[in-house]
Amino acid sequence: MVSDKKEAHAMKPLKLAILGAGGLGKGMVKRAQLSPDFKTVAIVDSEAYYFSLNGIHPSEVENLSSLGSLDHSVRTPQAIMDLLEAHGQDIDVIFMALPNIPVAFMPEITQKIALQGSFQGVIVDALKRTRAVEMMLELDSILKQAGLLYITGAGATPGFLSTLAAVAAQSFVEVKQVEIKFGVGIANWNQYKATVREDFLHLEGFDADRVAQMTDADIEAELEKRNGLIELVNMEHADDLILELAGICPRENVIVGGWVDTRHAKKPISTTVLITGITTQGETATHTITLDDASTMVDNVCGPALGFLRQGVRLQKTHHWSGILTSADIMPRGGVEARVTSPTEPLLV
Amino acid sequence: MVSDKKEAHAMKPLKLAILGAGGLGKGMVKRAQLSPDFKTVAIVDSEAYYFSLNGIHPSEVENLSSLGSLDHSVRTPQAIMDLLEAHGQDIDVIFMALPNIPVAFMPEITQKIALQGSFQGVIVDALKRTRAVEMMLELDSILKQAGLLYITGAGATPGFLSTLAAVAAQSFVEVKQVEIKFGVGIANWNQYKATVREDFLHLEGFDADRVAQMTDADIEAELEKRNGLIELVNMEHADDLILELAGICPRENVIVGGWVDTRHAKKPISTTVLITGITTQGETATHTITLDDASTMVDNVCGPALGFLRQGVRLQKTHHWSGILTSADIMPRGGVEARVTSPTEPLLV
């Protein structure tokens, strides 16, 4: 059902499976549809998977509350494992758009995928919490044995914004602070339940256990108290670990926070990254990165995730890389074909 | 003579040779001195080389007009080749800080280094012009045969600013324009003769032949007419080629320009990168990156060059990469040692 691709892509598109069918998963179906070098062939929720080698069009899934209601979906409580068992060889890349409460959820799924061995491509996640990324890093040898390349922390924060910070930091002799401050506006919190629930972990008085026990009505009531607006401070986001691993600065120099408006699509504040460091002359200086308010969570999570997948595929296919990387280890790539031969093509043979 | 390193670095520092001893070369001696994971062991100009395995301190060279006047330098008209012949095995990384008029100068030197075979580490340049980078790309197989890894366009523009643009572009379905606008302030143009001469190529009525024939007094007279300020528009900078090769956008969507004040250290304008593209929702949006005015050419060229060298060394040592890459192919790294094991260390074995 791929029909409105802008132009035929000379290379065969990468066949994409999206694990998770909430706001982020559906957003990725929409975003990937606009990049001709990708074709979404599978999407999964907790009750079913839907696989279509001809491509899944956003209109097929955007208004569904459950994939099980689709005619051609396969209903199963082990949707991820059953999808990969049946179609793993027909999938090139995976985007993990799963909710991550509890923190061990994604590492556990990843381990199962590696041990099952049906899928052998490249995986990216949009994990947020430092502890979750730490757990992913421990899977390196299992992933290597399975021949999988996994890029963790490849969404917006960490991912897009931490990579920008890692590059901008190069001016400085010493990086004193990286401050990531995001603004997110969503018209209706119901579209991004898992994301908003994860944000609640960072509010005063809340933790994973308490949030897990809250009903949607409880969340709604808490949002009502705040007029739909939540301010998140000192978030445990893996930007800190990822920037430390990339040699940029000690993790305690990294601060992540933001404002989420759960009732309006307009962002409550602009998303910014401030990188403060010491120059060669000993002065303190701050570089500023400001995202356009018109760019949404889908743009800033899903776009970069596709860019990291492109680079991951190159590294896996041509250099036989496997195991786990963080987003700051590699440069995301674009999907525009160069009119000259890439200088790196010979290197990649 | 290394004395004011901030702290002992647990890893052995990378032994750095700087080819070129003008403003940029001397700036790199100063900058590298502040990163404990590097040690400058050699610097070269057209008449001599100076090699010191114990490290070269900025104070030894900063006020020299010629390296030949140093007690322990070796005077020779083939300074680069003689340095590498004698000490190539004691050098890990090279920073090319050579003037590049005519455009074939750096590719020719690089080819000689590869054919000589005495040096087998990683090289970065801060080349500017698209044609020069194109010529470098043709050296891929020669560099591979020599076991060298060469990262081209790894200064500020291209390099630092084009890499920031390549990351920021990830939000967009399609990148309509990348506009790099730099401000440079130098107290005295005599400190950056080669850089200012190269800038003249981009002024109306000037080209490589004319600039090559101009004396310093001629340049001075032209600067006088402009009150020391030069505006550079539509510069032929390799950011365009490098972003096209990285899949970001067609090269004609990339614009590079700037203002250089050759009489004041204060920048005439702030350096900015504007990345304009189309969002998933079809809106036009612009991300903005603004560098702090306190960051100088040395910070924004030499810092990133060290970051690209760090990554290049990892890729060469542990993945046996060789040949040529552009700066947009790899993420620059910082020099801070992480307190946890890097996830990628196992991968790198």
Side-chain angles (χ1 to χ4, degrees), chain A residues 16-26 28 42-44 80-81 83-84 91 93-100 104-114 119 122-128 136 139 143 148-156 158 194-195 198 301-302 305-306 309 324:
Chain A
L16 170 68
I18 299 168
L19 307 190
L24 200 55
K26 285 176 184 162
M28 183 57 111
I43 185 164
V44 173
I80 292 174
M81 302 319 292
L83 165 71
L84 296 179
I91 295 168
V93 294
I94 288 176
F95 175 58
M96 294 280 207
L98 299 165
N100 193 45
F105 182 70
M106 203 113 60
E108 278 167 15
I109 294 284
T110 303
Q111 184 159 2
K112 277 191 200 166
I113 294 172
F119 169 75
V122 180
I123 307 177
V124 297
D125 67 40
L127 273 182
K128 294 180 177 180
M136 290 305 312
L139 299 180
L143 289 163
L148 294 175
L149 182 63
Y150 190 109
I151 302 149
T152 188
T195 301
E198 182 140 356
V301 173
C302 300
L306 295 178
L309 279 174
I324 191 146

Side-chain angles (χ1 to χ4, degrees), chain A residues 171 280 286 299-300 322 347, chain B residues 171 244 280 292 299-300 322 347:
Chain A
S171 294
T280 307
T286 300
D299 296 309
N300 298 320
S322 59
L347 184 75
Chain B
S171 294
E244 181 174 299
T280 306
D292 195 307
D299 296 309
N300 298 322
S322 60
L347 184 76

